[in-house]
Every structure is written in C-alpha cells, then in structure tokens.
Amino acid sequence: MRIKVELHRDVVWFVRHRCKESEANAFYSELHELRADPVTLIERSEALHDPKLSRYMLRFFRFAGCLAIFETNRERTRIRVRECRRIAPPTKRRPSAGGDP
C-alpha cells in the first residue's frame, strides 16, 4: 500500500539549499521506502517529543547526518515531514581533572 507523503515548505527549502546532493538523494531514498512500506519505516523510526513542533509525539528517521521529523495520521495513510535538521556532531570530552589516565 502506498502512502501519501507531504513535505512542509521548510523541509523542501532545507533539502534544496542546505543539503549536499548525496544528502538530498538519501532523503528522497528514505521517502521512497516510506511510501512503499510505511509500516516498516514507522516501526524503524524513533519517537521524538518536541513541544515547539507539536504537542503530540512525533517520529524521526535519519538520513546522511540529518534527521527528518514527521507525523502520521491515525490510519497511517498520510505522513507529513515537518522538519529536517542536522545531527549535532559528538562533542569531545575533556580529560577529567582527577588525573585519570
């Protein structure tokens, strides 16, 4: 069963202007998988609670160093990608002051 996927205008802008070609290809590849088999991708995705975006629980999937945050309707016939953002690089930990080797 194919599913309807909607992209928020900020998502379209992010993919066009902030992503390299390989990142955009990874994003659209994930969307293609999402349309083809939504149940599997939704189960593979991770939960996210961001009150700035929605008061409801959202989901996200990773693509090429970025996150795509989406919501789905109850029937799982429509998914709306609400936001894309880069994943923050891991921070380096400073050596402890206690002199651990």
XYZ file of all heavy atoms in Angstrom:
848
model
N 0.837 -1.183 0.000
C 0.000 0.000 0.000
C 0.880 1.244 0.000
O 1.739 1.407 0.848
C -0.891 -0.022 1.248
C -1.709 1.235 1.395
S -2.663 1.222 2.905
C -1.581 2.154 3.961
N 0.666 2.095 -0.958
C 1.413 3.351 -1.000
C 0.730 4.355 -0.089
O -0.469 4.346 0.076
C 1.508 3.863 -2.420
C 2.416 2.973 -3.260
C 2.651 3.519 -4.627
N 3.466 4.712 -4.673
C 4.789 4.743 -4.650
N 5.464 3.648 -4.516
N 5.435 5.870 -4.763
N 1.522 5.232 0.471
C 1.034 6.208 1.433
C 1.295 7.609 0.881
O 2.251 7.828 0.133
C 1.731 5.993 2.789
C 1.082 6.809 3.883
C 3.204 6.279 2.719
C 1.532 6.400 5.271
N 0.457 8.551 1.251
C 0.653 9.935 0.823
C 1.674 10.592 1.752
O 1.563 10.504 2.971
C -0.666 10.688 0.883
C -0.551 12.107 0.408
C -1.888 12.798 0.411
C -1.699 14.219 -0.088
N -2.954 14.947 -0.110
N 2.668 11.239 1.164
C 3.704 11.928 1.930
C 3.668 13.404 1.577
O 3.714 13.761 0.406
C 5.114 11.353 1.650
C 6.179 12.143 2.367
C 5.175 9.889 2.037
N 3.557 14.246 2.601
C 3.559 15.699 2.415
C 4.829 16.262 3.032
O 5.274 15.801 4.084
C 2.348 16.324 3.104
C 1.029 15.848 2.577
C -0.145 16.357 3.408
O 0.068 17.032 4.431
O -1.284 16.057 3.021
N 5.395 17.264 2.378
C 6.590 17.931 2.887
C 6.240 19.363 3.248
O 5.680 20.098 2.435
C 7.701 17.945 1.832
C 8.154 16.592 1.294
C 9.221 16.796 0.230
C 8.656 15.706 2.397
N 6.591 19.761 4.453
C 6.427 21.154 4.868
C 7.348 22.005 4.002
O 8.416 21.561 3.563
C 6.787 21.283 6.353
C 6.476 22.613 6.939
N 7.338 23.672 6.841
C 5.392 23.044 7.630
C 6.806 24.714 7.456
N 5.623 24.356 7.945
N 6.979 23.238 3.754
C 7.795 24.090 2.872
C 9.205 24.295 3.421
O 10.150 24.440 2.657
C 7.104 25.423 2.615
C 6.879 26.264 3.839
C 6.089 27.533 3.488
N 5.717 28.251 4.671
C 6.468 29.196 5.237
N 7.609 29.538 4.698
N 6.075 29.786 6.328
N 9.371 24.294 4.751
C 10.716 24.423 5.331
C 11.573 23.195 5.037
O 12.795 23.297 4.902
C 10.641 24.639 6.852
C 10.015 25.985 7.208
O 9.964 26.878 6.326
O 9.580 26.139 8.362
N 10.936 22.042 4.932
C 11.659 20.814 4.587
C 12.160 20.898 3.155
O 13.318 20.576 2.862
C 10.766 19.576 4.791
C 11.418 18.326 4.238
C 10.421 19.403 6.264
N 11.297 21.348 2.260
C 11.696 21.496 0.852
C 12.874 22.464 0.757
O 13.852 22.201 0.059
C 10.505 21.983 0.000
C 10.943 22.293 -1.419
C 9.381 20.951 0.018
N 12.812 23.574 1.482
C 13.892 24.560 1.466
C 15.178 23.942 2.015
O 16.259 24.114 1.437
C 13.508 25.790 2.288
C 14.549 26.855 2.227
C 14.635 27.859 1.311
C 15.682 27.015 3.092
N 15.742 28.632 1.557
C 16.407 28.127 2.654
C 16.140 26.313 4.190
C 17.568 28.556 3.271
C 17.307 26.730 4.812
C 18.006 27.852 4.343
N 15.093 23.225 3.130
C 16.267 22.613 3.746
C 16.954 21.659 2.771
O 18.171 21.706 2.595
C 15.860 21.860 5.023
C 17.004 21.200 5.731
C 17.733 21.895 6.682
C 17.343 19.887 5.470
C 18.796 21.301 7.346
C 18.401 19.276 6.126
C 19.127 19.987 7.066
N 16.176 20.798 2.140
C 16.744 19.804 1.225
C 17.367 20.483 0.007
O 18.440 20.097 -0.448
C 15.690 18.754 0.822
C 16.218 17.830 -0.252
C 15.240 17.954 2.045
N 16.729 21.527 -0.502
C 17.258 22.216 -1.694
C 18.488 23.067 -1.395
O 19.403 23.142 -2.218
C 16.193 23.116 -2.296
C 15.171 22.394 -3.083
C 14.247 23.367 -3.770
N 13.181 22.648 -4.448
C 12.062 23.197 -4.817
N 11.829 24.475 -4.585
N 11.141 22.478 -5.425
N 18.496 23.743 -0.253
C 19.526 24.752 -0.012
C 20.565 24.394 1.039
O 21.632 25.010 1.069
C 18.859 26.083 0.379
C 17.955 26.605 -0.682
N 18.422 27.170 -1.852
C 16.600 26.624 -0.770
C 17.405 27.525 -2.602
N 16.280 27.209 -1.973
N 20.276 23.462 1.920
C 21.212 23.151 2.992
C 21.862 21.787 2.840
O 22.822 21.485 3.541
C 20.503 23.203 4.355
C 19.855 24.517 4.722
C 20.825 25.611 5.125
N 21.797 25.232 6.118
C 21.678 25.365 7.432
N 20.596 25.871 7.938
N 22.642 25.004 8.228
N 21.340 20.952 1.962
C 21.859 19.595 1.798
C 22.735 19.500 0.553
O 22.456 20.127 -0.463
C 20.715 18.591 1.659
S 19.778 18.340 3.158
N 23.769 18.674 0.678
C 24.560 18.317 -0.500
C 23.724 17.358 -1.344
O 22.716 16.818 -0.879
C 25.843 17.611 -0.074
C 26.743 18.436 0.792
C 27.938 17.615 1.183
C 28.434 18.088 2.531
N 29.401 17.191 3.118
N 24.159 17.124 -2.550
C 23.411 16.252 -3.451
C 23.260 14.844 -2.859
O 22.189 14.245 -2.932
C 24.104 16.172 -4.814
C 23.330 15.378 -5.834
C 23.985 15.370 -7.204
O 24.917 16.147 -7.435
O 23.537 14.566 -8.028
N 24.313 14.335 -2.244
C 24.239 12.991 -1.662
C 23.252 12.944 -0.501
O 22.544 11.950 -0.311
C 25.622 12.534 -1.194
O 26.122 13.411 -0.197
N 23.173 14.015 0.287
C 22.224 14.071 1.400
C 20.787 14.138 0.881
O 19.897 13.472 1.408
C 22.514 15.272 2.299
C 23.830 15.167 3.024
C 24.244 16.462 3.699
O 23.880 17.554 3.200
O 24.942 16.375 4.725
N 20.570 14.948 -0.153
C 19.234 15.049 -0.748
C 18.813 13.703 -1.341
O 17.662 13.279 -1.168
C 19.209 16.134 -1.817
N 19.747 13.021 -1.995
C 19.436 11.699 -2.542
C 19.077 10.711 -1.433
O 18.153 9.911 -1.585
C 20.607 11.166 -3.368
C 20.796 11.927 -4.661
O 19.894 12.608 -5.145
N 21.988 11.839 -5.221
N 19.789 10.772 -0.310
C 19.493 9.889 0.823
C 18.107 10.195 1.386
O 17.351 9.284 1.736
C 20.556 10.043 1.901
N 17.760 11.478 1.472
C 16.442 11.872 1.969
C 15.340 11.319 1.070
O 14.386 10.685 1.541
C 16.351 13.396 2.054
C 14.985 13.898 2.418
C 14.516 13.792 3.714
C 14.166 14.481 1.463
C 13.243 14.253 4.053
C 12.911 14.949 1.786
C 12.452 14.830 3.095
N 15.467 11.537 -0.233
C 14.423 11.078 -1.150
C 14.379 9.554 -1.241
O 13.322 8.966 -1.466
C 14.581 11.727 -2.520
C 14.151 13.178 -2.486
C 15.061 14.206 -2.669
C 12.833 13.517 -2.215
C 14.667 15.535 -2.607
C 12.426 14.838 -2.145
C 13.349 15.838 -2.349
O 12.953 17.148 -2.270
N 15.509 8.905 -1.031
C 15.533 7.439 -0.987
C 14.727 6.922 0.205
O 13.942 5.982 0.079
C 16.979 6.955 -0.910
O 17.020 5.563 -0.739
N 14.909 7.563 1.362
C 14.128 7.194 2.548
C 12.638 7.458 2.316
O 11.799 6.656 2.723
C 14.603 7.965 3.776
C 15.918 7.478 4.333
C 15.828 6.096 4.972
O 14.781 5.755 5.568
O 16.806 5.353 4.872
N 12.307 8.570 1.670
C 10.902 8.852 1.369
C 10.303 7.795 0.445
O 9.159 7.387 0.613
C 10.743 10.230 0.727
C 10.748 11.417 1.652
C 10.457 12.693 0.872
C 9.746 11.269 2.778
N 11.107 7.348 -0.522
C 10.638 6.309 -1.437
C 10.333 5.028 -0.655
O 9.297 4.391 -0.870
C 11.679 6.053 -2.527
C 11.268 5.004 -3.499
N 10.265 5.197 -4.412
C 11.713 3.742 -3.676
C 10.109 4.092 -5.121
N 10.978 3.196 -4.692
N 11.227 4.652 0.273
C 10.981 3.474 1.104
C 9.746 3.672 1.973
O 8.972 2.744 2.187
C 12.192 3.186 1.993
C 13.363 2.593 1.262
C 14.487 2.233 2.206
O 14.205 1.754 3.325
O 15.642 2.427 1.825
N 9.590 4.869 2.490
C 8.453 5.198 3.338
C 7.143 5.028 2.585
O 6.184 4.456 3.100
C 8.583 6.634 3.842
C 7.503 7.169 4.757
C 7.476 6.391 6.056
C 7.748 8.631 5.044
N 7.102 5.492 1.356
C 5.889 5.344 0.542
C 5.603 3.884 0.231
O 4.457 3.453 0.218
C 6.038 6.110 -0.769
C 5.803 7.567 -0.627
C 5.700 8.219 -1.999
N 5.469 9.620 -1.839
C 6.278 10.562 -2.292
N 7.380 10.240 -2.940
N 5.999 11.828 -2.110
N 6.646 3.127 -0.041
C 6.469 1.733 -0.436
C 6.064 0.843 0.732
O 5.246 -0.064 0.575
C 7.759 1.211 -1.067
N 6.627 1.084 1.909
C 6.366 0.227 3.065
C 6.315 1.076 4.327
O 7.245 1.073 5.134
C 7.459 -0.837 3.165
C 7.138 -1.895 4.192
O 6.023 -1.891 4.746
O 8.016 -2.736 4.457
N 5.229 1.829 4.528
C 5.164 2.771 5.651
C 5.212 2.104 7.020
O 5.826 2.628 7.941
C 3.849 3.504 5.439
C 3.055 2.645 4.537
C 4.024 1.871 3.717
N 4.609 0.952 7.166
C 4.567 0.303 8.481
C 5.972 -0.038 8.951
O 6.341 0.230 10.096
C 3.663 -0.951 8.438
C 3.721 -1.705 9.756
C 2.234 -0.556 8.101
N 6.786 -0.595 8.067
C 8.155 -0.955 8.438
C 8.961 0.274 8.814
O 9.659 0.272 9.835
C 8.853 -1.707 7.284
O 8.097 -2.869 6.985
C 10.262 -2.096 7.661
N 8.880 1.336 8.019
C 9.667 2.524 8.322
C 9.179 3.193 9.604
O 9.986 3.652 10.403
C 9.661 3.524 7.173
C 10.584 4.719 7.393
C 12.039 4.272 7.555
C 10.472 5.714 6.287
N 7.893 3.224 9.827
C 7.383 3.821 11.053
C 7.867 3.020 12.258
O 8.275 3.585 13.270
C 5.842 3.927 11.017
C 5.441 4.990 9.990
C 5.281 4.269 12.387
C 3.966 5.023 9.674
N 7.859 1.706 12.147
C 8.361 0.874 13.245
C 9.861 1.054 13.435
O 10.361 0.970 14.552
C 8.029 -0.587 12.982
C 6.544 -0.887 13.114
C 6.167 -2.291 12.694
O 7.046 -3.042 12.212
O 4.988 -2.625 12.833
N 10.598 1.289 12.368
C 12.050 1.508 12.433
C 12.402 2.899 12.935
O 13.509 3.123 13.406
C 12.643 1.363 11.023
C 13.551 0.230 10.847
C 14.192 0.173 9.492
N 14.218 1.425 8.752
C 14.521 1.527 7.481
N 14.808 0.477 6.800
N 14.519 2.684 6.885
N 11.490 3.849 12.797
C 11.767 5.224 13.195
C 11.791 5.332 14.716
O 11.405 4.403 15.430
C 10.714 6.175 12.613
O 9.454 5.915 13.194
N 12.240 6.473 15.201
C 12.358 6.690 16.637
C 11.392 7.785 17.071
O 11.078 8.688 16.317
C 13.793 7.089 16.968
C 14.801 6.020 16.565
C 16.227 6.455 16.769
O 16.569 6.855 17.891
O 16.990 6.409 15.793
N 10.940 7.690 18.321
C 9.993 8.669 18.857
C 10.723 9.951 19.237
O 11.893 9.932 19.612
C 9.285 8.091 20.075
N 10.013 11.061 19.137
C 10.574 12.366 19.476
C 9.461 13.228 20.056
O 8.375 13.290 19.487
C 11.141 13.048 18.224
C 11.584 14.488 18.389
C 12.966 14.544 19.042
C 11.604 15.202 17.065
N 9.740 13.867 21.163
C 8.783 14.827 21.717
C 9.446 16.196 21.683
O 10.446 16.423 22.350
C 8.391 14.459 23.153
C 7.428 15.441 23.737
N 6.144 15.578 23.273
C 7.570 16.351 24.716
C 5.535 16.517 23.963
N 6.381 17.014 24.845
N 8.912 17.090 20.874
C 9.425 18.445 20.741
C 8.234 19.394 20.836
O 7.532 19.609 19.846
C 10.162 18.617 19.412
C 10.861 19.952 19.293
O 10.561 20.877 20.088
O 11.719 20.089 18.401
N 7.999 19.962 22.027
C 6.823 20.825 22.202
C 6.799 22.039 21.277
O 5.739 22.591 21.016
C 6.911 21.268 23.661
C 7.834 20.320 24.314
C 8.740 19.794 23.256
N 7.965 22.453 20.757
C 7.982 23.583 19.826
C 7.341 23.208 18.494
O 6.814 24.061 17.802
C 9.415 24.081 19.612
C 10.036 24.716 20.840
C 11.415 25.232 20.562
C 12.370 24.062 20.512
N 13.756 24.412 20.312
N 7.409 21.933 18.115
C 6.832 21.479 16.846
C 5.396 20.989 16.988
O 4.556 21.258 16.136
C 7.667 20.347 16.260
C 8.993 20.712 15.625
C 9.709 19.468 15.151
C 8.785 21.667 14.475
N 5.132 20.248 18.060
C 3.813 19.661 18.228
C 3.621 19.221 19.670
O 4.576 18.831 20.331
C 3.668 18.439 17.313
O 2.453 17.770 17.552
N 2.386 19.262 20.113
C 2.113 18.765 21.459
C 1.980 17.246 21.471
O 1.892 16.628 22.515
C 0.876 19.425 22.038
C -0.382 19.117 21.304
C -1.538 19.844 21.912
N -2.743 19.601 21.123
C -3.933 19.871 21.537
N -4.110 20.411 22.714
N -4.967 19.620 20.776
N 1.926 16.649 20.284
C 1.824 15.202 20.146
C 3.200 14.595 19.881
O 4.122 15.276 19.437
C 0.872 14.832 19.010
C -0.502 15.407 19.209
C -0.951 16.466 18.438
C -1.341 14.899 20.190
C -2.212 17.004 18.643
C -2.598 15.427 20.400
C -3.031 16.479 19.623
O -4.269 17.012 19.830
N 3.304 13.303 20.118
C 4.548 12.590 19.859
C 4.794 12.533 18.353
O 3.885 12.250 17.577
C 4.469 11.174 20.427
C 5.764 10.418 20.360
S 7.093 11.126 21.357
C 6.484 10.857 22.994
N 6.014 12.819 17.960
C 6.417 12.762 16.556
C 7.392 11.599 16.390
O 7.818 10.985 17.356
C 7.079 14.078 16.144
C 6.216 15.325 16.291
C 7.050 16.574 16.052
C 5.042 15.276 15.338
N 7.767 11.321 15.174
C 8.746 10.280 14.861
C 9.830 10.910 14.000
O 9.628 11.962 13.409
C 8.094 9.136 14.075
C 6.811 8.610 14.591
C 6.845 7.604 15.673
N 7.728 6.492 15.498
C 8.121 5.738 16.523
N 7.686 5.996 17.739
N 8.912 4.724 16.339
N 10.981 10.263 13.925
C 12.013 10.753 13.013
C 12.788 9.595 12.430
O 12.841 8.505 12.990
C 12.952 11.759 13.688
C 13.896 11.173 14.709
C 15.145 10.704 14.338
C 13.543 11.119 16.047
C 16.022 10.186 15.273
C 14.402 10.611 16.996
C 15.655 10.134 16.607
N 13.358 9.857 11.245
C 14.294 8.910 10.646
C 15.559 9.672 10.294
O 15.557 10.881 10.113
C 13.694 8.179 9.431
C 13.307 9.052 8.267
C 14.229 9.413 7.300
C 11.994 9.486 8.122
C 13.867 10.203 6.220
C 11.615 10.268 7.047
C 12.556 10.628 6.099
N 16.647 8.954 10.248
C 17.962 9.538 9.959
C 18.283 9.366 8.480
O 17.939 8.355 7.879
C 19.042 8.842 10.782
C 18.844 8.989 12.265
C 19.791 8.065 13.034
N 19.402 7.982 14.418
C 19.833 8.804 15.363
N 20.686 9.756 15.063
N 19.436 8.662 16.612
N 18.957 10.362 7.938
C 19.456 10.256 6.565
C 20.723 11.095 6.465
O 20.735 12.262 6.810
C 18.411 10.702 5.527
C 18.083 12.168 5.550
C 18.715 13.041 4.678
C 17.162 12.672 6.450
C 18.424 14.395 4.700
C 16.858 14.012 6.479
C 17.491 14.880 5.599
N 21.821 10.489 6.115
C 23.083 11.164 5.801
C 23.442 12.284 6.776
O 23.697 13.404 6.371
C 23.057 11.695 4.368
N 23.458 12.010 8.056
C 23.851 13.022 9.034
C 22.764 14.021 9.388
O 23.034 15.038 10.004
N 21.533 13.742 9.009
C 20.407 14.637 9.294
C 19.245 13.831 9.863
O 19.243 12.602 9.812
C 19.942 15.334 8.010
S 21.195 16.343 7.226
N 18.275 14.562 10.402
C 17.037 13.964 10.887
C 15.873 14.533 10.100
O 15.855 15.723 9.805
C 16.794 14.303 12.360
C 17.785 13.834 13.389
C 17.358 14.312 14.773
C 17.901 12.328 13.375
N 14.906 13.702 9.816
C 13.644 14.143 9.232
C 12.556 13.814 10.250
O 12.346 12.653 10.589
C 13.366 13.440 7.912
N 11.903 14.833 10.755
C 10.886 14.678 11.791
C 9.520 14.679 11.110
O 9.221 15.576 10.327
C 10.988 15.816 12.815
C 12.388 15.806 13.436
C 9.904 15.687 13.875
C 12.735 17.054 14.201
N 8.718 13.660 11.428
C 7.437 13.541 10.752
C 6.335 13.143 11.717
O 6.576 12.695 12.837
C 7.521 12.545 9.588
C 7.767 11.112 9.989
C 6.709 10.247 10.183
C 9.058 10.629 10.152
C 6.920 8.927 10.538
C 9.282 9.315 10.501
C 8.218 8.452 10.694
N 5.100 13.337 11.245
C 3.919 12.896 11.971
C 3.093 12.046 11.031
O 3.227 12.138 9.810
C 3.097 14.089 12.468
C 2.521 14.925 11.353
C 1.848 16.196 11.844
O 1.878 16.478 13.045
O 1.290 16.909 10.999
N 2.240 11.231 11.592
C 1.374 10.389 10.786
C -0.047 10.489 11.316
O -0.246 10.763 12.499
C 1.862 8.922 10.785
O 1.024 8.141 9.951
C 1.902 8.333 12.175
N -1.003 10.284 10.445
C -2.381 10.270 10.919
C -2.682 8.906 11.535
O -1.910 7.957 11.412
C -3.367 10.650 9.814
C -3.380 9.679 8.665
O -2.568 8.770 8.571
N -4.326 9.862 7.762
N -3.796 8.822 12.207
C -4.152 7.600 12.946
C -4.238 6.381 12.034
O -3.824 5.287 12.411
C -5.474 7.809 13.655
C -5.868 6.655 14.529
C -7.102 6.990 15.292
N -6.785 8.159 16.107
C -7.422 8.518 17.186
N -8.439 7.804 17.589
N -7.087 9.579 17.865
N -4.750 6.564 10.833
C -4.920 5.448 9.900
C -3.621 5.063 9.206
O -3.577 4.082 8.483
C -5.971 5.802 8.839
C -7.339 6.065 9.400
C -7.480 7.486 9.952
O -6.736 8.382 9.527
O -8.339 7.688 10.824
N -2.608 5.883 9.375
C -1.308 5.695 8.710
C -1.457 5.681 7.197
O -0.836 4.885 6.497
C -0.610 4.436 9.211
C -0.182 4.554 10.643
C 0.666 3.420 11.064
N 1.174 3.651 12.412
C 1.926 2.831 13.066
N 2.294 1.702 12.516
N 2.348 3.120 14.266
N -2.291 6.589 6.703
C -2.453 6.745 5.258
C -1.761 8.005 4.761
O -1.647 8.220 3.569
C -3.952 6.836 4.890
O -4.538 7.932 5.596
C -4.675 5.546 5.227
N -1.309 8.857 5.707
C -0.641 10.105 5.343
C 0.461 10.390 6.353
O 0.279 10.236 7.552
C -1.625 11.265 5.352
C -0.976 12.600 5.009
C -1.921 13.773 5.210
N -2.451 13.886 6.559
C -1.790 14.441 7.579
N -0.583 14.921 7.422
N -2.350 14.521 8.775
N 1.596 10.778 5.828
C 2.721 11.205 6.663
C 3.105 12.599 6.228
O 3.167 12.889 5.025
C 3.906 10.241 6.536
C 3.578 8.940 7.257
C 5.182 10.849 7.079
C 4.631 7.900 7.196
N 3.376 13.457 7.199
C 3.812 14.820 6.900
C 5.182 15.031 7.529
O 5.331 14.937 8.744
C 2.827 15.830 7.461
C 3.206 17.242 7.095
C 2.084 18.183 7.429
N 2.408 19.478 6.844
C 2.250 20.609 7.485
N 1.743 20.632 8.694
N 2.571 21.744 6.909
N 6.178 15.302 6.694
C 7.521 15.606 7.190
C 7.505 17.072 7.595
O 7.311 17.955 6.764
C 8.610 15.318 6.136
C 9.990 15.614 6.705
C 8.531 13.877 5.654
N 7.672 17.328 8.884
C 7.513 18.677 9.426
C 8.802 19.462 9.471
O 8.798 20.680 9.374
C 6.927 18.593 10.829
C 5.563 17.943 10.787
C 4.801 18.144 11.989
N 4.813 19.537 12.405
C 3.934 20.046 13.221
N 2.969 19.299 13.661
N 4.005 21.287 13.606
N 9.926 18.778 9.669
C 11.192 19.499 9.812
C 12.350 18.569 9.519
O 12.286 17.373 9.775
C 11.328 20.026 11.247
C 12.566 20.842 11.481
C 12.625 21.394 12.900
O 11.856 22.338 13.198
O 13.423 20.875 13.695
N 13.417 19.143 8.979
C 14.693 18.443 8.825
C 15.741 19.263 9.558
O 15.674 20.499 9.563
C 15.089 18.304 7.359
S 14.092 17.125 6.445
N 16.685 18.569 10.158
C 17.778 19.262 10.832
C 19.012 18.386 10.822
O 18.923 17.180 10.684
C 17.401 19.652 12.255
C 16.971 18.506 13.136
C 16.742 18.910 14.573
N 15.405 19.424 14.781
C 14.705 19.287 15.897
N 15.218 18.649 16.920
N 13.507 19.781 16.002
N 20.138 19.041 10.952
C 21.405 18.316 11.021
C 21.578 17.713 12.400
O 21.140 18.270 13.395
C 22.571 19.249 10.745
C 22.546 19.799 9.336
C 23.952 19.965 8.788
N 23.857 20.388 7.412
C 23.800 19.545 6.383
N 23.856 18.259 6.599
N 23.711 19.984 5.152
N 22.226 16.570 12.433
C 22.559 15.947 13.706
C 23.822 16.616 14.211
O 24.811 16.745 13.482
C 22.794 14.437 13.536
C 21.520 13.765 13.042
C 23.269 13.821 14.846
C 21.700 12.316 12.668
N 23.793 17.061 15.451
C 24.965 17.723 16.036
C 26.107 16.715 16.142
O 25.903 15.573 16.561
C 24.623 18.268 17.409
N 27.312 17.126 15.761
C 28.444 16.208 15.882
C 28.717 15.927 17.354
O 28.448 16.766 18.215
C 29.610 16.969 15.238
C 29.196 18.392 15.260
C 27.699 18.419 15.240
N 29.229 14.749 17.652
C 29.516 14.437 19.052
C 30.573 15.388 19.612
O 31.522 15.754 18.925
C 30.032 12.996 19.024
C 30.370 12.719 17.608
C 29.615 13.694 16.750
N 30.371 15.778 20.854
C 31.325 16.681 21.485
C 32.468 15.875 22.078
O 32.284 14.752 22.552
C 30.656 17.505 22.599
O 30.093 16.600 23.554
C 29.563 18.386 22.033
N 33.650 16.464 22.054
C 34.815 15.809 22.643
C 34.780 16.021 24.141
O 34.506 17.121 24.619
C 36.104 16.386 22.067
C 36.293 16.069 20.613
C 37.614 16.592 20.130
C 37.795 16.261 18.672
N 39.061 16.756 18.149
N 35.071 14.976 24.856
C 35.090 15.079 26.310
C 36.478 15.500 26.760
O 37.486 15.025 26.257
C 34.740 13.737 26.932
C 33.325 13.325 26.576
C 32.996 12.059 27.236
N 32.980 12.299 28.682
C 32.345 11.563 29.545
N 31.679 10.527 29.130
N 32.366 11.842 30.832
N 36.482 16.414 27.691
C 37.764 16.842 28.253
C 38.260 15.800 29.245
O 37.459 15.152 29.910
C 37.586 18.158 29.000
C 37.395 19.318 28.102
C 37.670 20.547 28.880
N 36.574 21.496 28.708
C 36.377 22.529 29.477
N 37.152 22.755 30.504
N 35.392 23.355 29.245
N 39.576 15.667 29.370
C 40.099 14.755 30.381
C 39.687 15.247 31.764
O 39.596 16.440 32.004
C 41.615 14.812 30.223
C 41.888 15.667 29.060
C 40.616 16.287 28.595
N 39.397 14.323 32.656
C 38.960 14.702 33.988
C 40.109 15.346 34.764
O 41.281 15.041 34.557
C 38.404 13.509 34.752
O 39.430 12.544 34.917
N 39.770 16.228 35.684
C 40.772 16.942 36.483
C 41.404 16.046 37.543
O 42.434 16.378 38.107
C 40.146 18.159 37.157
N 40.783 14.876 37.800
C 41.287 13.982 38.834
C 42.532 13.220 38.416
O 43.120 12.504 39.216
N 42.958 13.348 37.208
C 44.191 12.713 36.754
C 44.007 11.273 36.316
O 44.931 10.486 36.372
N 42.791 10.902 35.914
C 42.589 9.542 35.415
C 43.411 9.373 34.148
O 43.443 10.247 33.296
C 41.106 9.294 35.075
C 40.256 9.169 36.319
O 40.826 8.889 37.385
O 39.028 9.349 36.202
N 44.060 8.239 33.985
C 44.882 8.026 32.796
C 44.070 7.843 31.541
O 43.004 7.524 31.456
C 45.692 6.771 33.102
C 45.128 6.153 34.322
C 44.192 7.141 34.927
